[in-house]
Amino acid sequence: MARTGIQTAAMLLLLVVAPAINGAIASSIPADEPHPFEANSLHSKHFEDGEHNPQFDHEAFLGPDESKKFDSLTPEESKRRLGIIVDRIDEDKDGLVTLAELKNWIAYTQRRYIEEDVGRVWKQHNPENNDTISWDAYRKATYGFMDDLDKDELETEENGISYKSLLKRDRYRWAVADKDLDDSLTREEFTAFLHPEDHPTMKHVVLQETISDLDKDKDGKISVDEYIGDMYRPSGEEEEEPEWVASEREAFSKHRDLDNDGYLNEEEVKQWITPHDFDHSESEAKHLIFEADMDHDDQLTKAEVLDKYDVFVGSQATDFGEALARHDEF
C-alpha cells in the first residue's frame, strides 16, 4: 500500500473526528473531577497521558497555523508579539482582558483558521475559482490513485482505516453537505464538508463517523475497551495502565454510560461529543484566565498575560513545532 496516501488520508480523518470526540469532554464531567477543561484541539489533546499539553492552549489562543510561527521565535519576540495581540483582545481599551473578550478572541481565531484552511483547499481543487467543485473533480484529485490499486490494496486497513472506507465516508459526507443536490459544492457547502464539526446540519455525520471509528467490532455500540483504545494503547502485554487510564474507565462508567449497560449507544455518544451546554471558546478562556490570573479578579492585565506568556504562545524556549517565517502583521 502507498504509505503517503494512507497517512495523508488518516490525517484528514483525524482533523475532523478528534475535535468532535474530545471537544465534549469538559462539559460531561462534573466540576469536581480532575482536568475539568480537558478537550481536544485540531491537532493535540489538552491533557495527554494525564499531563497538561500547553500546545493545545497555544493553538486555541492563536489558531493552529499562527501558533507554529511563534514556536520559532525567541521568548523576547514572542512576548512582544503577544503584547500586540493583548491590545487587540482588549476591545474596550480599559487595560483589562475579560472572560468575554478572551472568549470572543478564541472564537475568532477558530473561525479564521477554518476560513484560511477552506481557502487553501478550495484553491487547490478549484484553481479557476469556479462557483462550485464537482464530486467527480474532487474524487479524481483526491482519490484518483485508487483506480490503479487492486482489491486487496483498496481494502487493506491501517489502524482501522482503508482507502475504500475513506472514499465511502467522503462520498456520504459530500452528499449531506450538498444542499441543492447537484453533486457539486459551493464554497459554503465545501466548508461544511471539510469542517462538519462546526456546522449544525452536519452533526449527525460527525456522530456516525465517530461511532464508526470507535466501534471496532461493528456491533453498533462502544465498549469501555473500545473507548479506552482510542486514547491509550499499551506498548506491551505486561505494561501497567497509567492512573489517568483508570480515571477514564471510571468516567466511562459514571458519566458516559448513562443507562449502565456497559456500552455507549448512539444517544450516549451524541451527549458525549455534542453536549448542549458546552462552549469550547468559553471553556478555553476560563482555563487561560485560571492559569494567568495572579490576583484572582477573574480578568487579566497585560502584565499578567506577559508574565505567563508561555501559557498563551510558544517560542524557541518551549521547543514546539517547526520554524516558520515571520508574519508581516507583526
Side-chain angles (χ1 to χ4, degrees), residues 44-269:
S44 58
K45 289 184 178 179
H46 203 175
F47 291 90
E48 192 163 21
D49 294 349
E51 299 293 331
H52 178 250
N53 180 6
Q55 187 70 359
F56 174 94
D57 296 323
H58 301 169
E59 291 182 7
F61 182 73
L62 295 169
D65 292 339
E66 198 66 29
S67 70
K68 293 178 183 177
K69 298 174 184 179
F70 273 75
D71 296 340
S72 68
L73 304 177
T74 64
E76 293 74 20
E77 180 63 12
S78 282
K79 287 183 179 181
R80 186 188 74 81
R81 298 193 186 190
L82 177 58
I84 295 173
I85 292 174
V86 172
D87 292 338
R88 295 176 184 170
I89 298 172
D90 181 15
E91 297 171 7
D92 59 10
K93 307 305 177 187
D94 65 350
L96 297 170
V97 172
T98 64
L99 174 63
E101 289 171 332
L102 189 52
K103 173 185 172 181
N104 290 342
W105 171 261
I106 292 171
Y108 159 73
T109 61
Q110 176 65 5
R111 290 193 304 271
R112 180 181 64 185
Y113 168 75
I114 290 175
E115 290 170 1
E116 292 176 350
D117 184 52
V118 171
R120 283 192 295 265
V121 182
W122 178 265
K123 184 176 181 179
Q124 176 186 348
H125 289 282
N126 185 16
E128 297 180 359
N129 197 29
N130 296 320
D131 291 338
T132 62
I133 298 174
S134 71
W135 165 253
D136 287 341
Y138 178 82
R139 183 204 175 283
K140 183 177 180 180
T142 306
Y143 295 104
F145 67 92
M146 291 174 56
D147 296 337
D148 298 323
L149 302 181
D150 61 31
K151 183 175 183 293
D152 288 341
E153 290 175 314
L154 290 173
E155 296 181 355
T156 298
E157 294 186 352
E158 279 191 25
N159 296 322
I161 302 170
S162 70
Y163 292 131
K164 184 177 179 179
S165 65
L166 281 171
L167 176 59
K168 181 179 180 181
R169 170 174 295 194
D170 263 8
R171 188 65 178 104
Y172 176 70
R173 188 191 291 184
W174 186 282
V176 176
D178 180 22
K179 292 305 177 184
D180 56 8
L181 305 178
D182 63 352
D183 215 23
S184 295
L185 300 185
T186 64
R187 180 157 177 157
E188 181 180 354
E189 291 170 334
F190 194 65
T191 300
F193 171 76
L194 284 183
H195 293 276
E197 72 281 0
D198 288 293
H199 278 257
T201 59
M202 302 291 286
K203 284 186 177 181
H204 184 69
V205 174
V206 175
L207 174 62
Q208 293 303 315
E209 291 181 359
T210 301
I211 293 174
S212 176
D213 290 331
L214 298 182
D215 182 19
K216 300 304 182 183
D217 60 10
K218 304 306 176 186
D219 63 353
K221 53 190 177 182
I222 311 302
S223 69
V224 65
D225 288 336
E226 289 170 331
Y227 171 82
I228 294 297
D230 184 61
M231 298 178 281
Y232 168 74
R233 295 181 179 87
S235 56
E237 292 183 3
E238 298 181 359
E239 179 178 333
E240 184 176 350
E241 282 189 351
E243 289 185 9
W244 71 268
V245 175
S247 297
E248 281 297 334
R249 289 187 183 276
E250 182 179 3
F252 179 94
S253 299
K254 292 175 62 176
H255 308 300
R256 312 272 190 250
D257 180 17
L258 302 179
D259 60 8
N260 299 311
D261 68 347
Y263 297 91
L264 302 186
N265 57 37
E266 181 174 313
E267 184 59 30
E268 288 167 333
V269 174

